[in-house]
């Protein structure tokens, strides 16, 4: 949009427009891409400025002491802005203060550069102003000061505007048309761009599915196993891994590791003898090369496919981009390698075409469609990982557009879509690959559907196998909430909208009039039923909410209430109300489910008639029928006939009136038996942490693997020389909350000051992390130490990169930081575990599984926590030259009998016990040793 616009930015005491106050205003006038005027003022808020606000903005109380109050400033803002369109980054907050709280500029239209950037930069890792300006080449002098941020917002807008003008005219036209009847401020920009571009020589053409997705024209040939198998040679592997072997020329400073060789030989033996094995190998062993080498040789020699599954994206990237190329060069032959992801990671051209035909119904759908259309002008991979889906709403919409379609079949991709489907292309590539890299979630989902995603395989390697039980549990968990049910119901539509409208539009004139009228009557009847069902769905979930409010023992985690539904709660009166509400609702499930099944069968007779989008419509009706039948069965078990091997619970977020139902398996052993142990020729499970309390017993029991061979490969590190474990003996126990918290804060600050940063802190609680961050940030800032933590929502990758690249920094994280983090060298010198990582006792899955043990604490809770403790410890020493200090700010590791289990699970390090105040001195001395 050209002409005059005003970019505005506010700094405030906080983010609540009802209680917080403005402390600075900055605005600039933008005309045809140039800043022509500016306005800036401090504002006296009349209340103290919080320390965290000063930390972020640099604005202190004395800076605003003599500034005008907001009442004096508002007329100046009104005069400067006039009737111009306003631009802001995250417009809801700034306009909330100006328009809602202070009642000014309500007639002005506004544009959100945050919203616009999510569309025009669909793959950007972050959308905060600083990150975006860096990405488009704008230099920001004083981030988090109003005038500089207003200037940056104006220039960012202009950069985004120029991007719009470079888009294909058809894309701009479609985004404008799709959002024409939706209250969505960002559509204004596309409408104005469309008007401007129509004056150019570009012609408006419909952007077809064929243009968005190229067909698969490659010739594919699947692997073919030989009639006889060639066994792997022990001598051949030893030669490759020797000091003068093939890897020595490819890896700088290569050092032959007997532990790596031992693991490679064990994997080869498992393949040769067709048996499973479980291998624990510590960091530094070189696990991935140890299993990739025999896997590649086995696959190539025997025409077999070997699947390798990881839990984290970091390890998957390492295997694909670092380890596999080395193995290929070392072996000297061509090796086909493919990465396969679950169906929901790929965009479905048919489902996208359906949304384009039916048009978006709300701003979230309009934004997501716009983002995807822009993305497809840059990439045809269809891979979700290239998109930043920033909200739950966008992720939900993606699910409806993904290849996770119950009605989709290879025939559809091959025949109707002519091989254009990104998932189809990925599967074809995987079918000719010797090694297929997947993640645990896909591994389990594929096993459940009998290889509908991963091409058939008989040999499997599972890395990060300590996460396998959680992956299987998550894959088998059912989640049902009101919004999802109502959305699926709404998608059926009426004769005037949704699936029914499209069906009737396409049948009209293409089937006998009598059949058409029958379909109209049928659609009308069913849509009346869906309208009534919608009301009863709401009543059903309200009965659940009433039940949650009734019971007194609601047990909450930090942000959500979790209530496990067991036999005792099923006997409560409120649960009887849920059952009564369900008995009414289930009749509608039966009616709608049967009706959609009847409709699917009725459409069969039109198969050979020339009905537009026939297969898409047919699959949509079958998908709806399946969904309602499966959801009905799940809810019936939850409410009336619980399965003894299922865990049932209710959840509701704090401040929300929207409960959800969840159910997960109690034991996953039968799934392991059905999907892996009895199905595959050989399965290799490996991780740095499979043993708990010195034994494989715990994880073997969890994975139904009691007869599986195990191997513990000793570490390559000399922990006695590299690692000091320092145990403070004067820290209050965690149940002494205030005293304990103050000790934690003091310990972090003093250790970070002594070591010039280089400290990682692992928390088990997000709220404690946030509280600690607010308390220690100002103190660390005085020492020029930068704090990177999860309290502001920054991604794990961005925090990790900032920590590595900053000379003096502290990194604080919760669950996702306990594993998969690799910070070798001097960037990390000390690791603090704030609290022993016991699971939350009220977690329904943990609580239910605990009950299956005679001594639940010692037999389940402690071994489970010990595995996580070992994972956390593993973040410290990553290479042979690393040196570090490990400390635990939880006195229970010393004072409680079970604390010995945690300490004994660690390698043989140098250990000292002493006062907390001695930690910085001892740590610095240890790190400075020759």
């Amino acid at each position: 949009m050209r002409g005059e616009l005003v970019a505005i930015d506010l700094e405030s005491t906080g983010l609540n427009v009802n209680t917080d106050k403005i402390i600075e205003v900055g605005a600039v006038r933008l005309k045809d891409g140039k800043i022509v005027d500016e306005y800036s003022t401090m504002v006296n808020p009349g209340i103290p400025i919080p320390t965290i606000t000063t930390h972020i903005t640099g604005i202190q109380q004395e800076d605003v002491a003599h500034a005008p109050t907001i009442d004096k400033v508002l007329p100046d803002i009104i005069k400067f802005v006039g009737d111009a369109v306003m631009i802001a980054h995250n417009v809801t907050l700034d306009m909330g203060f100006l328009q809602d709280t202070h009642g000014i500029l309500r007639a002005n239209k506004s544009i959100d550069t945050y919203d616009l950037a999510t569309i025009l930069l669909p793959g950007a890792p972050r959308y905060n102003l600083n990150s975006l300006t860096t990405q488009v080449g704008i230099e920001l002098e004083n981030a988090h000061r109003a005038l500089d941020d207003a200037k940056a917002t104006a220039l960012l807008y202009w950069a985004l505007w120029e991007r719009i003008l470079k888009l294909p005219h058809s894309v701009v036209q479609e985004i404008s048309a799709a959002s024409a009847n939706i209250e969505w401020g960002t559509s204004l920009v596309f409408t104005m761009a469309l008007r401007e571009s129509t004056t150019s020589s570009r012609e408006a053409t419909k952007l077809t599915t064929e243009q968005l997705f190229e067909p698969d024209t490659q010739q594919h040939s699947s692997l073919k196993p030989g009639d006889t198998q060639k066994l792997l040679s022990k001598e051949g592997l030893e030669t490759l891994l020797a000091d003068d072997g093939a890897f020595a020329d490819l890896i700088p400073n290569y050092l032959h590791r007997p532990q790596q060789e031992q693991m490679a030989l064990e994997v080869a033996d498992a393949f040769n003898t067709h048996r499973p094995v479980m291998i624990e190998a510590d960091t530094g062993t070189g696990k991935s090369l140890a299993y990739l080498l025999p896997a590649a040789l086995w696959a190539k020699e025997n025409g077999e496919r070997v699947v390798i599954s990881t839990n984290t994206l970091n390890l998957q990237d390492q295997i694909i981009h670092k380890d596999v190329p080395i193995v290929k060069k070392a072996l000297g032959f061509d090796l086909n390698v493919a990465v396969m992801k679950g169906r929901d990671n790929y965009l479905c051209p048919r489902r996208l075409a359906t949304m384009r035909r039916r048009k978006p119904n709300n701003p979230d759908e309009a934004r997501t469609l716009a983002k995807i259309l822009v993305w497809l002008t840059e990439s045809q991979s269809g891979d979700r990982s290239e998109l930043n889906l920033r909200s739950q709403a966008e992720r939900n919409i993606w699910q409806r557009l993904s290849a996770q379609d119950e009605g989709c079949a290879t025939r559809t991709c091959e025949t109707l879509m002519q091989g254009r489907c990104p998932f189809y292309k990925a599967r074809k590539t995987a079918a000719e690959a010797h090694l297929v890299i997947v993640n645990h979630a896909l591994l389990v989902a594929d096993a459940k559907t009998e290889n509908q995603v991963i091409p058939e395989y008989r040999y499997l390697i599972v890395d990060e196998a300590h996460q396998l039980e959680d992956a299987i549990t998550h894959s088998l968990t059912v989640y049902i909430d009101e919004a999802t049910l109502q959305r699926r119901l709404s998608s059926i539509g009426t004769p005037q909208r949704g699936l029914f409208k499209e069906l009737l539009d396409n049948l009209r004139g293409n089937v006998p009039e009598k059949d058409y009228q029958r379909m109209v009557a049928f659609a009308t009847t069913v849509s009346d039923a869906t309208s009534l069902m919608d009301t009863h769905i709401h009543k059903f979930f309200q009965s659940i909410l009433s039940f949650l409010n009734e019971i007194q023992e609601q047990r909450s985690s930090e942000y959500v209430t979790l209530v496990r539904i067991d036999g005792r709660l099923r006997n409560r009166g409120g649960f009887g109300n849920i059952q009564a509400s369900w008995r009414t609702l289930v009749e509608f499930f039966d009616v709608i489910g049967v009706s959609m099944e009847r409709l699917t069968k009725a459409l069969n007779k039109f198969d050979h008639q020339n009905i537009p989008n026939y297969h898409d419509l047919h699959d949509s009706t079958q998908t709806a029928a399946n969904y309602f039948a499966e959801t009905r069965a799940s809810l019936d078990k939850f409410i009336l006939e619980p399965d003894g091997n299922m865990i049932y619970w209710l959840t509701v977020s704090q401040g929300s009136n929207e409960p959800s139902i969840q159910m997960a398996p109690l034991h996953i052993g039968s799934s392991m038996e059905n999907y892996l142990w009895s199905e595959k020729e050989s399965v290799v499970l490996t991780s740095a942490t499979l043993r708990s309390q010195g034994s494989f017993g715990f994880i073997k029991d969890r994975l139904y693997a009691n007869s599986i061979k195990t191997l513990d490969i000793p570490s390559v590190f000399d922990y006695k020389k590299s690692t000091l474990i320092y145990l403070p003996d004067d820290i209050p126990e965690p149940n002494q909350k205030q005293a304990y918290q103050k000790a934690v804060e003091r310990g972090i600050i003093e250790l970070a000051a002594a070591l010039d940063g280089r400290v990682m802190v692992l928390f088990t609680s997000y709220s404690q992390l946030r509280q600690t961050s607010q308390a220690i940030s100002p103190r660390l800032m005085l020492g020029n130490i930068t704090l990177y933590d999860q309290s502001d929502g920054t991604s794990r990758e961005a925090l990790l990169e900032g920590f590595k690249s900053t000379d003096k920094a502290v990194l604080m994280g919760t669950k996702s930081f306990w594993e998969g983090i690799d910070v070798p060298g001097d960037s990390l010198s000390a690791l603090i575990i704030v609290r022993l990582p016991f699971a939350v006792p009220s977690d329904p899955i943990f609580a239910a599984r605990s009950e299956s043990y005679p001594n639940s604490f010692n037999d389940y809770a402690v071994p489970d926590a010990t595995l996580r403790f070992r994972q956390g410890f593993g973040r410290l020493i990553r290479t042979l030259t690393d040196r570090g200090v490990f400390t635990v700010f939880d006195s229970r590791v010393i004072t409680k009998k079970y604390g010995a289990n945690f300490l004994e699970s660690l390698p043989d390090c140098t250990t000292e016990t002493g006062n907390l105040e001695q930690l910085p001195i001892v740590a610095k001395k240890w790190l400075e040793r020759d």
Side-chain angles (χ1 to χ4, degrees), residues 118-280:
T118 66
I119 295 166
L120 296 169
L121 302 169
R126 286 174 289 167
Y127 291 110
N128 62 59
L129 186 59
N130 193 27
S131 298
L132 290 170
T133 52
T134 299
Q135 185 169 339
V136 299
I138 298 170
E139 292 188 6
L140 203 59
E141 292 183 16
N142 294 303
H144 299 301
R145 291 303 299 266
L147 183 59
D148 284 289
D149 282 359
K151 290 177 181 178
T153 300
L155 297 175
L156 173 62
Y157 168 79
W158 194 255
L160 296 173
W161 169 257
E162 291 183 323
R163 282 179 177 263
I164 293 179
L165 297 182
K166 293 176 183 178
L167 288 173
H169 182 78
S170 51
V171 170
V172 180
Q173 183 183 48
E174 181 167 351
I175 294 172
S176 177
S179 56
N181 298 317
I182 297 173
E183 287 291 327
W184 180 41
T186 304
S187 65
L188 173 67
V189 186
F190 290 93
T191 300
M192 296 307 296
L194 182 64
R195 291 176 185 172
E196 179 159 329
S197 63
T198 53
T199 62
S200 71
S201 60
R202 292 184 291 179
E203 295 183 4
T205 57
K206 175 65 177 176
L207 197 64
T208 65
T209 298
E210 289 73 22
Q211 290 172 305
L212 290 173
F213 300 92
E214 293 180 355
D216 180 31
T217 57
Q218 297 182 12
Q219 294 294 320
H220 296 279
S221 57
S222 297
L223 294 183
K224 294 181 180 179
D227 295 332
T228 59
Q229 288 185 333
K230 299 178 182 178
L231 301 184
L232 296 180
S233 161
K234 175 184 176 182
E235 292 75 17
L237 288 170
E238 290 174 338
T239 299
L240 286 166
L241 292 169
D243 280 326
D244 57 353
F247 286 100
D249 296 330
L250 299 171
I251 301 175
N253 303 314
Y254 178 78
L255 180 67
H256 170 255
R257 284 171 280 187
Q259 296 90 338
Q260 186 178 52
E261 182 181 293
Q262 181 185 5
M263 181 172 175
L265 294 175
E266 190 64 37
V267 173
D269 186 58
F271 284 2
N272 286 342
T273 58
H274 301 176
R275 60 171 175 78
V277 65
M278 190 179 288
I279 306 171
E280 179 179 286

Side-chain angles (χ1 to χ4, degrees), residues 283-297:
T283 303
T285 302
K287 287 190 298 293
S288 51
L289 284 180
Y291 59 67
L292 281 171
L293 178 58
L297 286 167

Side-chain angles (χ1 to χ4, degrees), residues 29-79:
R29 190 176 305 281
L30 184 72
K31 186 173 183 179
D32 296 333
K34 297 186 182 300
I35 294 174
V36 297
D37 196 5
E38 63 183 52
Y39 167 80
S40 176
T41 182
M42 304 295 290
V43 181
N44 189 332
I47 62 173
I49 298 176
T51 303
I52 188 66
T53 301
T54 298
H55 171 57
I56 294 172
T57 65
I59 300 174
Q60 301 185 51
Q61 200 70 42
E62 53 265 32
D63 297 327
V64 299
H66 303 291
T69 62
I70 190 64
D71 292 337
K72 300 286 180 62
V73 171
L74 292 177
D76 294 335
I77 299 175
I78 295 170
K79 182 179 179 181

Side-chain angles (χ1 to χ4, degrees), residues 751-773:
L751 182 60
L755 303 184
D756 285 333
R758 301 186 296 161
V759 177
M760 182 188 296
V761 190
L762 299 179
F763 290 81
T764 59
S765 158
Y766 180 83
S767 62
Q768 188 187 12
L769 180 149
R770 185 174 55 193
Q771 179 184 354
T772 305
S773 172

Side-chain angles (χ1 to χ4, degrees), residues 462-481:
V462 180
D463 202 343
E464 300 178 312
H466 64 282
Q467 287 285 7
L468 190 54
E469 182 183 21
D470 284 348
I472 293 174
T473 301
H474 181 75
S475 178
L476 298 177
T477 296
V478 177
Y479 179 94
I480 301 171
D481 67 349

